Amino acid sequence: MRASSIVLTVVSALLLTMPASAQPAATAVIWHDRGDTAALDLARGSGGAANEPGVEFWFIKESAHGSSPKFEVEDEHGITWKVKLGEEARSETAAARLMWAAGYLVDDAYYRPSIHVHGLTGLVRGQEFVSDGDAVAGARLERDGMAVDTVTWSWYANPFVGTREFNGLRVMMALVNNWDLKEINNGGADAVGGGQYGVTDLGATFGRTGNTFTRSKGVPKDYAEARFIEKVTRTHVDFRMRSRPFFLSIFNLRYYRSRAQMQSVGRDVPIADARWIGARLGQLSAGQISDCFRSSGFSPADVELYTTVVQQRIAALNALVTPTDDTTTASMRTPASRVSDITRCVGSTCRQAPVRERTAGFPLGTRYVEAVAGGFEQGAGLGGGVRLTTATAWPAVQLRATVLTSVHFYRRVDLEALLPSIGSDRNHADLWFTYLQRDTDVHDIGTPASVDLKTQFALTQRSYQASFSRDFADHLQGGIYAQRMRARASPASSSGTPIDEVFSGSAAETPSRWLPGLMADTRIVRYGAFVTYDTRDDGLGLSQGLNAYGRVASASSGGASIGVPGYGWLEGDLDLRAHVPLGGHKTSLLLRSRAQLKAPRGGRQIPFYDLSVLGGRGNGRGYHSYRYRGNNAVLFSTELQRTVRALTDIRGVDVFGFADTGQVWGDARASLDQALGAASALGHGPWHSGVGAGLQYRHSRHLAARLEFARGRDGTVTYVSMTRGF
C-alpha cells in the first residue's frame, strides 16, 4: 500500500504539471492575407519604405554559393544586406514583389541601379559589375536574418500538400516561369514544429523555362512567347513548366531525375484553387504591376511588355471554367484548354507513320503493366493484349513490349524504344520492331471489282521502323520516318471463292500479275515525311476541333525478292477531319475527306496488301473491309452525333447517323504515266455509298465502344469497334 501510494502521488503530480509545462503545437503558415490587395505598394514590396536599405555600404564578405555573384554588406544603419548581381537581380526583385502581393512569404528585397561599397576587394565572381573601385551596378539587396531561410522544405512532401494555399503557390511558380524549383531554394522557420514557409530564391524567373540550352532569366521576349497553360480538364489544369535537362544529362541520373520531377509542380492543379489565386491577383491594377517591374530596374518598354503578359496570365486563370450544362460552346473554351493529339501521342502509343494508329492502355495495378485495346487495322475484329513498360523509371527513354491478339486470332508483337525528349521537349523519336500475322480479304482489284467475289490470304509481316517528330507549335507537328519490311502472303485455309475463280483473263494474266505479292517473300524499304495539325478537344462531351494530316513517301524493293517482279511506287495520303459543335458539347457534326494516291514507278508494281482501299468501318461504311482496292482511293464521310446521356465530362452515351461515299481507280497494271493522269479518272468510275446509324459509349479520351449498322451494295453490314469514331 505504501508503494502504491508513492506511485499514485508521482503520477498525480505529473498529470497536474503537464498542462502548465506543455506548449501548444506550432502552426505552419505558407500564406498570409494581405488585406486590400488594390492598396498594396508594389514599388517597395514587403519591406515598405520604412525598411529600405541605406545609401552607404561597407563590404563584409563574398559568398561562393549559387550561380550568381553575391556578397554581404552593412549599411549606415547597421543592417546587413545580401547583394546579388547579374541576370537574376532584376527578375528576383520583381518576382518577390508579385509573390508578396499574392500573399506569400518572401524576403525584403530592393533593386538599386548602382551602389557604393566601401572596402570592396576584388571579387572572384562579378568583378565586371564593379567600376571605379567601389561602384557596383545592378544590385539586388536582400535583408539578412529573415526567419524564412533557416531550413529547407520539399515541393513533394510538406504540411501543405493538397491545400488551396499551396496549390496557389504552385500556380505562382508557373505564372513567373520559375524553372529552378530546387529544395534548397525553399526556406522555412522550424519546418518540423511549424513556422513560416516561403520561396527564398526567385532569380530563375520571367524568362523561358526549359533545359540548359533553352531556358532564360529576366528576358521579356522569352517570357511573352512562353506558353502558360498546357491543358485543362474538367477539374484540373496543367501549367507548362519545362525543366527536363538535355538528354545527354541522363548519365548524371540523380540530376536528371530531380530536374525532370520539377515539371510535376505545375501539373494537376485544381481549377478552383487556380481561380482562387487568380481572383486575388486580379485585384491588382496595371499600375501596381508596372510598379513591380519598374522598381526592379527594367526599361519602360520591358515594363510595358511584362505588365501586359502578367495581366494576360491573370486573365487566363480567371477564365478557367467548369461548365455544367449544354450552354457551353467552343467560344467559351480558351485555346489553352485544348488537348491536342500531339501532346497525347508522346504519352501513349499514337503513331502518325508509316500507318496512323493508336492503342489505349490501362494500368493493371502498376504503371509497369498495362492492358491494351486496339492495335490492328480494320477487319481484325476487337483486338487487345498486354504491354510491359518501363514507364518513367528512365526519363530519357521508355521501353515497351506489347503482345496483342484479336477475336479473329490475328497476332501482333511490338518491341519499342520511345525517346520523348531529344534536346528539347518538342523533339521525339520512336524505334520499334513489329511482327504481324493476319488474314487479308481480297475481292478484286480496280474499278470493276465484283461484290460477289471474296477470298482470304494469310499475311505475315516483320518490320523495323524509326521515326523522328517535332512539335513546331502547340497544334502542329511534323516528322520523318523509315521502314524496312519483309512480308509473305499466301492463300488462307478459310472458306471463300477459289483463287482461280477470283480473277479471269488470258493464261498470261497470272494471279501474281493481278495480285502482286501473292506467294512471294517481299522486302520493301519505305521512307517519307508527315505533318499533322490537330486542335481537337476531347475534354468535355463530344470532340470539337480540326485535324489535318498529310504524308508522302517512297517505297521500293529492298534486298532480294523471291519469285516476284520488282516493286516501287510513290504514295501520298491526305486526311482532313472536322468536329463541328452544334449549339453545345452534346451535338456535333463530323466531316471527313481522305485521299490515298499511289503511283507505280518504272513499270514496277504495288503489293496487293499495300494498295489504297475503300470499304470497312474506317474507309467506307456499308461495305466489307478492303472491298475495293486500287492505286488510288478517295472517301467522303459525314456523321451527326448526339449525346443522349452524359455520365461525366468525358464519359457518355451517344447516338449517331452517317453517310459515306468513295471511289477507287487505277489497278495493279497501271503504269506511272497512267497514275500521273489519275486525277482525271476521279469521278469517271462508280461511286460506292453507304448510310447507317449506331450507338456509342465514350469511356475515355482514347476509348469508346461503338456499334454501327450500315447499308450499301454489300447489304447490311455491322461493325463493332473500340474507337471514338473519326
Side-chain angles (χ1 to χ4, degrees):
M1 291 181 63
R2 182 177 301 174
S4 300
S5 177
I6 295 174
V7 171
L8 181 61
T9 301
V10 172
V11 171
S12 300
L14 288 174
L15 291 175
L16 290 172
T17 57
M18 280 181 64
S21 60
Q23 298 296 323
T27 301
V29 177
I30 199 171
W31 181 84
H32 298 265
D33 189 345
R34 304 294 182 202
D36 185 3
T37 303
L40 297 177
D41 180 8
L42 268 68
R44 295 180 174 83
S46 61
N51 294 318
E52 286 196 78
V55 295
E56 296 291 330
F57 301 93
W58 284 262
F59 180 77
I60 299 177
K61 64 179 180 179
E62 184 175 1
S63 173
H65 301 294
S67 58
S68 298
K70 291 189 286 288
F71 57 88
E72 294 182 9
V73 297
E74 181 179 296
D75 65 11
E76 66 268 28
H77 306 299
I79 305 299
T80 299
W81 298 87
K82 298 177 182 178
V83 178
K84 177 183 284 190
L85 308 176
E87 59 183 351
E88 292 189 5
R90 295 184 302 174
S91 60
E92 182 164 35
T93 306
R97 296 276 198 275
L98 207 57
M99 292 286 294
W100 170 74
Y104 294 98
L105 187 66
V106 296
D107 293 323
D108 294 346
Y110 300 85
Y111 179 84
R112 296 290 181 266
S114 179
I115 61 174
H116 293 276
V117 181
H118 301 286
L120 182 64
T121 59
L123 297 175
V124 176
R125 299 186 302 166
Q127 187 61 34
E128 65 272 22
F129 299 101
V130 180
S131 61
D132 299 330
D134 60 357
V136 180
R140 181 233 61 188
L141 294 102
E142 177 186 286
R143 183 183 292 269
D144 192 21
M146 298 294 289
V148 73
D149 57 3
T150 56
V151 296
T152 60
W153 56 271
S154 168
W155 287 101
Y156 320 107
N158 62 73
F160 309 99
V161 171
T163 65
R164 180 185 66 178
E165 292 74 15
F166 178 67
N167 291 331
L169 180 60
R170 295 164 62 199
V171 175
M172 290 302 300
M173 294 299 98
L175 189 140
V176 300
N177 274 13
N178 187 1
W179 49 259
D180 196 17
L181 301 176
K182 298 193 297 285
E183 183 174 325
I184 196 174
N185 290 338
N186 301 332
D190 189 14
V192 176
Q196 307 287 323
Y197 282 65
V199 181
T200 59
D201 192 332
L202 293 163
T205 53
F206 291 117
R208 182 192 297 116
T209 62
N211 60 37
T212 306
F213 303 103
T214 60
R215 65 196 184 204
S216 61
K217 310 171 185 176
V219 180
K221 181 176 181 295
D222 289 352
Y223 182 70
E225 294 176 351
R227 185 176 177 180
F228 179 40
I229 295 178
E230 184 78 58
K231 72 174 183 180
V232 178
T233 67
R234 177 73 167 183
T235 58
H236 290 75
V237 55
D238 286 358
F239 297 94
R240 174 167 289 206
M241 297 178 66
R242 302 305 192 196
S243 59
R244 189 186 301 275
F246 187 62
F247 75 100
L248 290 180
S249 302
I250 190 64
F251 295 106
N252 185 348
L253 185 58
R254 183 176 181 181
Y255 168 78
Y256 190 95
R257 295 185 65 175
S258 66
R259 279 286 171 187
Q261 187 182 25
M262 292 178 189
Q263 296 183 161
S264 65
V265 173
R267 294 175 180 163
D268 292 323
V269 177
I271 287 179
D273 296 347
R275 283 179 55 84
W276 168 76
I277 196 65
R280 302 199 66 85
L281 294 171
Q283 300 175 33
L284 295 173
S285 67
Q288 287 175 293
I289 298 174
S290 296
D291 287 343
C292 169
F293 294 98
R294 187 179 298 107
S295 63
S296 300
F298 289 100
S299 68
D302 291 347
V303 170
E304 182 179 358
L305 181 57
Y306 271 127
T307 301
T308 299
V309 178
V310 169
Q311 285 185 304
Q312 290 173 345
R313 294 193 169 198
I314 294 173
L317 294 175
N318 290 314
L320 294 171
V321 294
T322 54
T324 58
D325 55 44
D326 217 19
T327 60
T328 305
T329 64
S331 62
M332 295 177 63
R333 304 184 185 191
T334 64
S337 70
R338 298 190 177 99
V339 186
S340 71
D341 268 355
I342 294 171
T343 303
R344 293 195 294 258
C345 285
V346 177
S348 64
T349 301
C350 179
R351 300 192 180 106
Q352 304 291 354
V355 178
R356 298 189 84 189
E357 61 178 343
R358 174 183 295 150
T359 59
F362 308 92
L364 295 176
T366 171
R367 60 178 178 169
Y368 301 110
V369 183
E370 295 177 332
V372 178
F376 295 94
E377 293 185 68
Q378 64 179 27
L382 297 178
V386 177
R387 176 189 297 139
L388 304 179
T389 172
T390 60
T392 57
W394 302 327
V397 61
Q398 183 178 147
L399 303 180
R400 296 168 173 167
T402 308
V403 179
L404 303 169
T405 188
S406 76
V407 294
H408 294 318
F409 302 107
Y410 297 169
R411 294 178 290 279
R412 174 174 172 174
V413 176
D414 278 12
L415 302 177
E416 178 186 11
L418 173 67
L419 288 75
S421 178
I422 302 180
S424 166
D425 286 339
R426 291 182 176 270
N427 299 328
H428 326 293
D430 199 1
L431 301 93
W432 71 102
F433 164 80
T434 298
Y435 170 82
L436 175 65
Q437 185 173 347
R438 61 167 296 166
D439 289 345
T440 297
D441 294 327
V442 169
H443 306 266
D444 203 342
I445 295 178
T447 301
S450 170
V451 298
D452 299 321
L453 301 176
K454 178 180 179 181
T455 188
Q456 284 185 291
F457 297 89
L459 180 65
T460 301
Q461 293 178 331
R462 294 175 176 83
S463 58
Y464 300 86
Q465 295 85 198
S467 69
F468 174 84
S469 59
R470 176 171 175 79
D471 303 336
F472 294 105
D474 291 340
H475 303 289
L476 180 65
Q477 184 188 68
I480 57 177
Y481 70 93
Q483 179 190 51
R484 182 179 180 87
M485 179 181 69
R486 183 173 183 176
R488 182 173 181 82
S490 59
S493 59
S494 58
S495 62
T497 307
I499 185 172
D500 56 354
E501 296 182 16
V502 174
F503 304 99
S504 62
S506 66
E509 292 177 332
T510 61
S512 63
R513 173 62 173 165
W514 283 96
L515 197 61
L518 174 65
M519 301 298 292
D521 190 353
T522 306
R523 303 182 184 184
I524 299 295
V525 173
R526 179 189 279 111
Y527 56 90
F530 66 89
V531 63
T532 178
Y533 176 75
D534 198 342
T535 65
R536 287 176 297 181
D537 180 8
D538 301 326
L540 179 63
L542 299 173
S543 300
Q544 301 182 23
L546 302 174
N547 175 232
Y549 171 79
R551 179 180 62 87
V552 293
S554 174
S556 61
S557 299
S561 296
I562 304 173
V564 295
Y567 299 106
W569 70 95
L570 300 175
E571 63 183 26
D573 193 353
L574 180 63
D575 196 349
L576 306 176
R577 313 183 192 197
H579 301 251
V580 184
L582 301 179
H585 61 273
K586 290 187 176 181
T587 306
S588 183
L589 177 64
L590 284 63
L591 303 171
R592 181 191 184 193
S593 60
R594 182 185 185 187
Q596 296 173 286
L597 307 175
K598 302 193 178 186
R601 296 185 301 177
R604 300 182 184 183
Q605 296 180 318
I606 304 174
F608 78 93
Y609 45 80
D610 257 317
L611 288 171
S612 301
V613 296
L614 188 70
R617 186 201 58 78
N619 289 295
R621 289 165 289 189
Y623 300 86
H624 295 299
S625 297
Y626 311 112
R627 164 57 73 183
Y628 301 100
R629 294 176 184 265
N631 289 349
N632 311 288
V634 65
L635 172 70
F636 300 97
S637 298
T638 182
E639 181 172 304
L640 181 64
Q641 296 183 346
R642 172 66 184 179
T643 299
V644 293
R645 184 172 184 182
L647 303 176
T648 67
D649 295 338
I650 297 175
R651 296 182 182 181
V653 179
D654 315 312
V655 294
F656 56 86
F658 58 83
D660 296 350
T661 186
Q663 182 185 108
V664 297
W665 69 98
D667 59 29
R669 297 170 296 178
S671 66
L672 178 58
D673 291 337
Q674 291 172 315
L676 293 176
S680 63
L682 175 60
H684 293 287
W687 288 88
H688 307 287
S689 303
V691 297
L695 185 69
Q696 170 179 273
Y697 164 65
R698 287 176 285 106
H699 181 75
S700 69
R701 294 180 184 273
H702 311 289
L703 187 67
R706 281 172 65 97
L707 178 62
E708 303 173 69
F709 303 94
R711 181 75 177 177
R713 290 182 63 195
D714 279 1
T716 300
V717 184
T718 302
Y719 307 100
V720 179
S721 61
M722 302 294 288
T723 174
R724 289 189 58 144
F726 305 11

